[in-house]
mmCIF file of all heavy atoms in Angstrom:
data_model
loop_
_atom_site.group_PDB
_atom_site.id
_atom_site.type_symbol
_atom_site.label_atom_id
_atom_site.label_comp_id
_atom_site.label_asym_id
_atom_site.label_seq_id
_atom_site.Cartn_x
_atom_site.Cartn_y
_atom_site.Cartn_z
ATOM 1 N N VAL A 152 100.314 115.913 96.976
ATOM 2 C CA VAL A 152 100.078 114.555 97.525
ATOM 3 C C VAL A 152 101.145 114.056 98.350
ATOM 4 O O VAL A 152 102.303 114.096 97.943
ATOM 5 C CB VAL A 152 99.878 113.562 96.276
ATOM 6 C CG1 VAL A 152 99.490 112.163 96.737
ATOM 7 C CG2 VAL A 152 98.841 114.099 95.273
ATOM 8 N N ASN A 153 100.839 113.618 99.578
ATOM 9 C CA ASN A 153 101.831 113.179 100.424
ATOM 10 C C ASN A 153 101.396 111.904 101.163
ATOM 11 O O ASN A 153 100.249 111.545 101.175
ATOM 12 C CB ASN A 153 102.328 114.262 101.377
ATOM 13 C CG ASN A 153 101.272 114.665 102.576
ATOM 14 O OD1 ASN A 153 100.239 114.097 102.593
ATOM 15 N ND2 ASN A 153 101.632 115.643 103.341
ATOM 16 N N SER A 154 102.366 111.328 101.935
ATOM 17 C CA SER A 154 102.044 109.981 102.715
ATOM 18 C C SER A 154 102.622 110.146 103.942
ATOM 19 O O SER A 154 103.844 110.274 104.266
ATOM 20 C CB SER A 154 102.629 108.826 101.962
ATOM 21 O OG SER A 154 102.538 107.615 102.802
ATOM 22 N N THR A 155 101.752 110.190 105.108
ATOM 23 C CA THR A 155 102.164 110.267 106.431
ATOM 24 C C THR A 155 102.813 109.009 106.840
ATOM 25 O O THR A 155 103.699 108.964 107.795
ATOM 26 C CB THR A 155 101.064 110.551 107.394
ATOM 27 O OG1 THR A 155 100.331 111.807 106.813
ATOM 28 C CG2 THR A 155 101.380 110.781 108.835
ATOM 29 N N LYS A 156 102.644 107.867 106.211
ATOM 30 C CA LYS A 156 103.283 106.577 106.449
ATOM 31 C C LYS A 156 104.807 106.730 106.279
ATOM 32 O O LYS A 156 105.567 105.865 106.785
ATOM 33 C CB LYS A 156 102.697 105.573 105.621
ATOM 34 C CG LYS A 156 101.273 105.190 105.841
ATOM 35 C CD LYS A 156 100.648 104.089 104.904
ATOM 36 C CE LYS A 156 99.233 103.745 105.214
ATOM 37 N NZ LYS A 156 98.358 104.889 104.864
ATOM 38 N N SER A 157 105.363 107.649 105.563
ATOM 39 C CA SER A 157 106.682 107.799 105.459
ATOM 40 C C SER A 157 107.337 108.226 106.813
ATOM 41 O O SER A 157 108.606 107.982 106.881
ATOM 42 C CB SER A 157 107.083 108.876 104.337
ATOM 43 O OG SER A 157 106.692 110.158 104.794
ATOM 44 N N LEU A 158 106.534 108.743 107.582
ATOM 45 C CA LEU A 158 107.027 109.121 108.932
ATOM 46 C C LEU A 158 106.773 108.206 110.074
ATOM 47 O O LEU A 158 107.542 107.928 110.969
ATOM 48 C CB LEU A 158 106.438 110.461 109.332
ATOM 49 C CG LEU A 158 106.699 111.628 108.482
ATOM 50 C CD1 LEU A 158 105.876 112.822 108.746
ATOM 51 C CD2 LEU A 158 108.239 112.104 108.537
ATOM 52 N N ILE A 159 105.604 107.542 110.078
ATOM 53 C CA ILE A 159 105.156 106.748 111.098
ATOM 54 C C ILE A 159 104.822 105.327 110.703
ATOM 55 O O ILE A 159 104.340 104.523 111.458
ATOM 56 C CB ILE A 159 103.912 107.368 111.921
ATOM 57 C CG1 ILE A 159 102.721 107.465 110.932
ATOM 58 C CG2 ILE A 159 104.281 108.562 112.436
ATOM 59 C CD1 ILE A 159 101.428 107.841 111.500
ATOM 60 N N GLY A 160 105.133 104.875 109.584
ATOM 61 C CA GLY A 160 104.825 103.557 109.084
ATOM 62 C C GLY A 160 103.363 103.384 108.879
ATOM 63 O O GLY A 160 102.503 104.415 108.830
ATOM 64 N N HIS A 161 102.923 102.160 108.705
ATOM 65 C CA HIS A 161 101.549 101.926 108.473
ATOM 66 C C HIS A 161 100.755 101.316 109.663
ATOM 67 O O HIS A 161 101.083 100.231 110.105
ATOM 68 C CB HIS A 161 101.410 100.795 107.284
ATOM 69 C CG HIS A 161 100.126 100.624 106.644
ATOM 70 N ND1 HIS A 161 98.952 101.196 107.300
ATOM 71 C CD2 HIS A 161 99.702 99.962 105.554
ATOM 72 C CE1 HIS A 161 97.908 100.753 106.524
ATOM 73 N NE2 HIS A 161 98.327 100.028 105.665
ATOM 74 N N LEU A 162 99.897 102.208 110.139
ATOM 75 C CA LEU A 162 99.204 101.788 111.498
ATOM 76 C C LEU A 162 98.031 100.983 111.246
ATOM 77 O O LEU A 162 97.153 100.752 112.124
ATOM 78 C CB LEU A 162 98.805 103.086 112.233
ATOM 79 C CG LEU A 162 99.849 103.684 113.097
ATOM 80 C CD1 LEU A 162 101.137 104.068 112.392
ATOM 81 C CD2 LEU A 162 99.271 104.958 113.809
ATOM 82 N N LEU A 163 97.925 100.318 109.928
ATOM 83 C CA LEU A 163 96.759 99.463 109.619
ATOM 84 C C LEU A 163 95.440 100.031 110.029
ATOM 85 O O LEU A 163 94.975 101.016 109.439
ATOM 86 C CB LEU A 163 97.051 98.108 110.341
ATOM 87 C CG LEU A 163 98.391 97.401 110.079
ATOM 88 C CD1 LEU A 163 98.419 96.062 110.772
ATOM 89 C CD2 LEU A 163 98.660 97.235 108.571
ATOM 90 N N GLY A 164 94.730 99.457 111.031
ATOM 91 C CA GLY A 164 93.382 99.879 111.241
ATOM 92 C C GLY A 164 93.371 101.424 111.890
ATOM 93 O O GLY A 164 92.212 102.070 111.834
ATOM 94 N N ALA A 165 94.455 101.900 112.231
ATOM 95 C CA ALA A 165 94.464 103.271 112.789
ATOM 96 C C ALA A 165 95.058 104.258 111.702
ATOM 97 O O ALA A 165 95.027 105.422 111.872
ATOM 98 C CB ALA A 165 95.431 103.329 114.008
ATOM 99 N N ALA A 166 95.544 103.743 110.573
ATOM 100 C CA ALA A 166 96.159 104.569 109.648
ATOM 101 C C ALA A 166 95.229 105.731 109.219
ATOM 102 O O ALA A 166 95.632 106.901 109.111
ATOM 103 C CB ALA A 166 96.622 103.779 108.419
ATOM 104 N N GLY A 167 94.121 105.364 108.693
ATOM 105 C CA GLY A 167 93.221 106.371 108.099
ATOM 106 C C GLY A 167 92.871 107.416 109.167
ATOM 107 O O GLY A 167 92.565 108.614 108.880
ATOM 108 N N ALA A 168 92.793 107.042 110.397
ATOM 109 C CA ALA A 168 92.400 108.033 111.488
ATOM 110 C C ALA A 168 93.467 109.053 111.727
ATOM 111 O O ALA A 168 93.208 110.182 111.813
ATOM 112 C CB ALA A 168 92.008 107.244 112.811
ATOM 113 N N ILE A 169 94.663 108.522 111.876
ATOM 114 C CA ILE A 169 95.799 109.513 112.199
ATOM 115 C C ILE A 169 96.036 110.390 110.889
ATOM 116 O O ILE A 169 96.402 111.565 110.939
ATOM 117 C CB ILE A 169 97.066 108.822 112.536
ATOM 118 C CG1 ILE A 169 98.092 109.786 113.137
ATOM 119 C CG2 ILE A 169 97.641 108.081 111.491
ATOM 120 C CD1 ILE A 169 97.570 110.669 114.354
ATOM 121 N N GLU A 170 95.753 109.791 109.604
ATOM 122 C CA GLU A 170 95.832 110.611 108.453
ATOM 123 C C GLU A 170 94.737 111.631 108.420
ATOM 124 O O GLU A 170 94.910 112.748 107.768
ATOM 125 C CB GLU A 170 95.934 109.699 107.295
ATOM 126 C CG GLU A 170 97.270 108.952 107.254
ATOM 127 C CD GLU A 170 97.249 107.673 106.474
ATOM 128 O OE1 GLU A 170 96.342 107.372 105.787
ATOM 129 O OE2 GLU A 170 98.277 106.860 106.636
ATOM 130 N N PHE A 171 93.557 111.335 108.831
ATOM 131 C CA PHE A 171 92.457 112.381 108.943
ATOM 132 C C PHE A 171 92.808 113.503 109.859
ATOM 133 O O PHE A 171 92.757 114.658 109.577
ATOM 134 C CB PHE A 171 91.209 111.674 109.481
ATOM 135 C CG PHE A 171 90.050 112.581 109.628
ATOM 136 C CD1 PHE A 171 89.339 113.023 108.583
ATOM 137 C CD2 PHE A 171 89.841 113.244 110.789
ATOM 138 C CE1 PHE A 171 88.176 113.888 108.815
ATOM 139 C CE2 PHE A 171 88.753 114.045 111.208
ATOM 140 C CZ PHE A 171 87.956 114.510 110.062
ATOM 141 N N VAL A 172 93.428 113.191 111.045
ATOM 142 C CA VAL A 172 93.871 114.152 112.019
ATOM 143 C C VAL A 172 95.034 115.080 111.275
ATOM 144 O O VAL A 172 95.061 116.208 111.371
ATOM 145 C CB VAL A 172 94.557 113.479 113.290
ATOM 146 C CG1 VAL A 172 95.265 114.563 114.123
ATOM 147 C CG2 VAL A 172 93.454 112.794 114.123
ATOM 148 N N THR A 173 95.751 114.424 110.556
ATOM 149 C CA THR A 173 96.932 115.103 109.600
ATOM 150 C C THR A 173 96.210 116.112 108.821
ATOM 151 O O THR A 173 96.671 117.293 108.650
ATOM 152 C CB THR A 173 97.814 114.108 108.961
ATOM 153 O OG1 THR A 173 98.412 113.314 109.834
ATOM 154 C CG2 THR A 173 98.883 114.920 108.120
ATOM 155 N N CYS A 174 95.109 115.734 108.130
ATOM 156 C CA CYS A 174 94.360 116.592 107.255
ATOM 157 C C CYS A 174 93.867 117.852 107.954
ATOM 158 O O CYS A 174 93.971 119.020 107.512
ATOM 159 C CB CYS A 174 93.339 115.946 106.485
ATOM 160 S SG CYS A 174 93.860 114.805 105.172
ATOM 161 N N VAL A 175 93.375 117.618 109.073
ATOM 162 C CA VAL A 175 92.750 118.683 109.967
ATOM 163 C C VAL A 175 93.865 119.563 110.341
ATOM 164 O O VAL A 175 93.696 120.821 110.355
ATOM 165 C CB VAL A 175 92.023 118.098 111.192
ATOM 166 C CG1 VAL A 175 91.583 119.215 112.156
ATOM 167 C CG2 VAL A 175 90.805 117.267 110.776
ATOM 168 N N LYS A 176 94.812 119.091 110.848
ATOM 169 C CA LYS A 176 96.020 119.996 111.227
ATOM 170 C C LYS A 176 96.663 120.661 110.082
ATOM 171 O O LYS A 176 97.084 121.882 110.188
ATOM 172 C CB LYS A 176 97.226 119.206 112.061
ATOM 173 C CG LYS A 176 96.659 118.443 113.263
ATOM 174 C CD LYS A 176 96.240 119.515 114.295
ATOM 175 C CE LYS A 176 97.478 120.289 114.828
ATOM 176 N NZ LYS A 176 97.005 121.286 115.885
ATOM 177 N N THR A 177 96.698 119.983 108.952
ATOM 178 C CA THR A 177 97.195 120.726 107.703
ATOM 179 C C THR A 177 96.298 121.851 107.411
ATOM 180 O O THR A 177 96.731 123.040 107.020
ATOM 181 C CB THR A 177 97.115 119.680 106.547
ATOM 182 O OG1 THR A 177 98.066 118.691 106.802
ATOM 183 C CG2 THR A 177 97.492 120.434 105.111
ATOM 184 N N ILE A 178 95.011 121.810 107.521
ATOM 185 C CA ILE A 178 94.044 122.954 107.220
ATOM 186 C C ILE A 178 94.255 124.054 108.264
ATOM 187 O O ILE A 178 94.218 125.232 107.957
ATOM 188 C CB ILE A 178 92.581 122.403 107.166
ATOM 189 C CG1 ILE A 178 92.454 121.585 105.906
ATOM 190 C CG2 ILE A 178 91.602 123.622 107.264
ATOM 191 C CD1 ILE A 178 91.109 120.709 105.923
ATOM 192 N N GLN A 179 94.343 123.584 109.415
ATOM 193 C CA GLN A 179 94.514 124.560 110.633
ATOM 194 C C GLN A 179 95.777 125.460 110.492
ATOM 195 O O GLN A 179 95.777 126.623 110.616
ATOM 196 C CB GLN A 179 94.663 123.796 111.942
ATOM 197 C CG GLN A 179 93.336 123.534 112.570
ATOM 198 C CD GLN A 179 93.593 123.052 114.108
ATOM 199 O OE1 GLN A 179 94.273 122.107 114.201
ATOM 200 N NE2 GLN A 179 92.977 123.728 114.995
ATOM 201 N N ASP A 180 96.905 124.716 110.161
ATOM 202 C CA ASP A 180 98.243 125.372 110.205
ATOM 203 C C ASP A 180 98.814 125.833 108.905
ATOM 204 O O ASP A 180 99.859 126.470 108.804
ATOM 205 C CB ASP A 180 99.258 124.505 110.853
ATOM 206 C CG ASP A 180 99.190 124.290 112.364
ATOM 207 O OD1 ASP A 180 98.130 124.878 112.956
ATOM 208 O OD2 ASP A 180 99.992 123.702 112.941
#
């Protein structure tokens, strides 16, 4: 369990979207 907000803060309405991208990249790499 991790939090991308530890690196980029809380992007409010964009937070879930960049965290979804993070999930995709996690699966890829």
Side-chain angles (χ1 to χ4, degrees):
V152 181
N153 68 4
S154 173
T155 306
K156 294 179 180 71
S157 65
L158 299 168
I159 59 172
H161 191 349
L162 274 61
L163 305 184
I169 194 61
E170 289 156 14
F171 176 84
V172 168
T173 300
C174 286
V175 173
K176 296 300 291 184
T177 295
I178 289 169
Q179 273 192 301
D180 284 9

